[in-house]
Amino acid sequence: MSTSGQPQFRYTQTPSKVLHLRNLPWECTEEELVEVCKPFGKIVNTKCNVGANRNQAFVEFVDLNQAINMVTYYASSSEPAQVRGKTVYIQYSNRHEIVNNKGPGDVPGNVLLVTIEGVEAGDVSIDVIHLVFSAFGFVHKIATFEKAAGFQALIQFSDVETAAAAREALDGRSIPRYLLPEHVGSCHLRISYSAHTDLNIKFQSHRSRDYTNPYLPVNPTAIEGFVQPVVGPDGKKKEPESNVLLASIENMQYAVTVDVLHTVFSAFGTVQKIAIFEKNGGTQALIQYSDVTTAAVAKDALEGHCIYDGGYCKLHLSYSRHTDLNVKAFSDKSRDYTIPESGLLAMHQAPAAAAAATVWQNPQASPMFPGSEIAGGAVSGQASMGRMPSWDSNMQAGRPNFVSVPSSFPGQTYVQASSVPGYATASTHPGQLSPSDVPPRGATQPARQPNMRPGGGSPPGQTRYYGF
């Protein structure tokens, strides 16, 4: 038994030439292990910094008896094995040899996977990470993200040698205190190699950066929305303010539309845009004001309140990372109030106007007056394209006089427009009224020429008017 009262090895363990050592000091080196074990035999292999706390190791002797001698010695000794003053617990290993199968994190590469312990996302900016690692060489790209292991970053160097130098120097170390926010006590870097060789950075933001491509587009929402966390008087991190509010709606017994939200939120200032969407089985909405102050007032006044009496449609509000919403101007789920109503009306009327234009330009439309030379004669090709033919006086040369035809529609008589000059009135068809017998129809009939009578005669003292 050891002086600490804990057994140094398990008596029931099957002897093996590989020994398992526990409770080692932090970052115990191979030289320190060999120094403890070499009095009992020749060491042929070691494996250090094993386990979640990196305080375990394996040592392999060349012969089984050498391993048994070490375990037996410390089992009966009053002085336990120690490394840097710490008691080391020894037992036989289940394995019979150490196979150094390097995992993905042990295969050297030019990209490092860095886990930053003791911090949350946003506590350590991407600029601080770049400052720390660029001390060892040119950093090509950085991408940060959150995983179950915590806040992590992928850091790409130009070659394996530079990445290895940075890992060797920084693994297990802390970021300098003056580079961290005041509320962060300390953080440690856990560094391994990544299987990536070239990171795919799509845009520059507070979460990703490509230092080799200055023309890469910038994500303005991500850049502007990132603010170093502010700590309140209670020591808790305050939420960064924004002019856009994220509303989560609970207990929706009644429908919440864009108009309903506009009525509620416009009581505190001018609402510019609204967007409603479904997320995680619930209804949420983004409400954009013109400035942060108005949004803050609305948030404080409406947080936890219900839109309807009886506790229905309860609002939970937070600030959004967005600063300018990109929404459809007019739909059931979104509205842009910065577009004038006349513009919205034009957008709605545009489809109707297009449909009307399609009917007017029907190329298969038949002539309105069957038998008419104008409708079915020389200009019929133009009329078939849905356009009124232009007047050409030369076309009238050698053309027979215009003859009225029976009505185009049953029960309706054709009236010759008295404003059309230069056509002699032909004999009237049986059962059809002459133009002189039909009184003018007001606005539906063009005004007469001042020197033209309904019968076609010129006023006394004036020459006959032909119009061409």
Side-chain angles (χ1 to χ4, degrees), residues 140-405:
H140 285 218
K141 303 174 184 178
I142 297 178
T144 62
F145 49 91
E146 296 176 72
K147 292 288 186 180
F151 182 56
Q152 295 182 314
L154 288 170
I155 302 167
Q156 178 179 331
F157 288 97
S158 57
D159 52 65
V160 177
E161 291 73 17
T162 307
R167 180 176 185 251
E168 182 68 23
L170 296 176
D171 189 22
R173 303 288 297 275
S174 298
I175 294 178
R177 184 68 186 81
Y178 65 88
L179 295 176
L180 300 174
E182 294 182 359
H183 68 281
V184 177
S186 63
C187 66
H188 294 88
L189 303 177
R190 301 285 175 258
I191 305 176
S192 60
Y193 293 107
S194 171
H196 295 282
T197 57
D198 188 16
L199 303 180
N200 183 19
I201 305 297
K202 296 181 179 179
F203 48 79
Q204 314 280 19
S205 74
H206 70 279
R207 300 186 69 91
S208 61
R209 206 69 59 87
D210 186 347
Y211 300 97
T212 65
N213 185 5
Y215 303 104
L216 196 67
V218 177
N219 186 337
T221 301
I223 292 292
E224 296 172 4
F226 177 73
V227 180
Q228 192 75 298
V230 179
V231 181
D234 55 355
K236 295 183 179 179
K237 189 167 59 176
K238 293 178 63 176
E239 184 181 13
E241 295 183 344
S242 170
N243 66 312
V244 179
L245 297 179
L246 172 62
S248 299
I249 307 173
E250 293 182 355
N251 195 19
M252 282 193 55
Q253 297 295 325
Y254 301 101
V256 176
T257 63
V258 172
D259 294 329
V260 170
L261 291 176
H262 183 264
T263 301
V264 173
F265 284 88
S266 62
F268 304 92
T270 302
V271 174
Q272 293 183 330
K273 301 176 184 179
I274 294 178
I276 301 176
F277 55 94
E278 302 291 329
K279 186 174 181 180
N280 299 329
T283 300
Q284 297 184 355
L286 290 169
I287 300 94
Q288 177 179 328
Y289 287 101
S290 58
D291 55 80
V292 176
T293 304
T294 307
V297 172
K299 179 179 181 296
D300 294 339
L302 295 175
E303 169 59 31
H305 286 261
C306 300
I307 298 177
Y308 298 102
D309 293 336
Y312 300 121
C313 301
K314 187 175 182 180
L315 293 173
H316 291 288
L317 302 176
S318 60
Y319 293 108
S320 171
R321 293 189 301 104
H322 298 282
T323 57
D324 188 15
L325 302 179
N326 183 15
V327 299
K328 292 183 179 179
F330 191 94
S331 71
D332 294 338
K333 296 293 185 181
S334 63
R335 197 73 51 85
D336 187 346
Y337 298 97
T338 61
I339 298 180
E341 293 184 3
S342 59
L344 294 176
L345 183 61
M347 293 172 60
H348 284 291
Q349 291 179 345
T358 302
V359 174
W360 170 254
Q361 295 180 359
N362 185 1
Q364 297 181 355
S366 59
M368 181 163 292
F369 305 110
S372 169
E373 284 190 355
I374 294 179
V379 296
S380 62
Q382 296 181 8
S384 65
M385 296 303 293
R387 298 177 299 188
M388 294 297 295
S390 59
W391 174 259
D392 187 357
S393 59
N394 296 327
M395 294 175 58
Q396 304 301 322
R399 181 186 296 270
N401 291 332
F402 178 79
V403 180
S404 300
V405 296

Side-chain angles (χ1 to χ4, degrees), residues 63-129:
D63 182 71
L64 175 61
N65 292 327
Q66 296 174 355
I68 294 175
N69 290 338
M70 182 174 180
V71 172
T72 303
Y73 174 81
Y74 284 111
S76 58
S77 174
S78 59
E79 295 294 333
Q82 292 186 344
V83 175
R84 297 188 210 164
K86 290 192 65 175
T87 299
V88 178
Y89 305 120
I90 305 172
Q91 66 187 40
Y92 294 114
S93 173
N94 291 326
R95 65 184 72 186
H96 296 285
E97 64 177 342
I98 297 176
V99 179
N100 288 321
N101 292 329
K102 293 184 178 180
D106 297 322
V107 178
N110 67 314
V111 178
L112 298 178
L113 172 61
V114 181
T115 302
I116 307 176
E117 299 179 346
V119 299
E120 297 180 3
D123 289 341
V124 179
S125 69
I126 198 169
D127 294 323
V128 169
I129 296 174

Side-chain angles (χ1 to χ4, degrees), residues 17-19 45-47 57-61 95-101:
K17 62 180 180 179
V18 178
L19 300 183
N45 206 348
T46 62
K47 189 174 182 67
F58 294 95
V59 177
E60 181 181 348
F61 286 92
R95 65 184 72 186
H96 296 285
E97 64 177 342
I98 297 176
V99 179
N100 288 321
N101 292 329

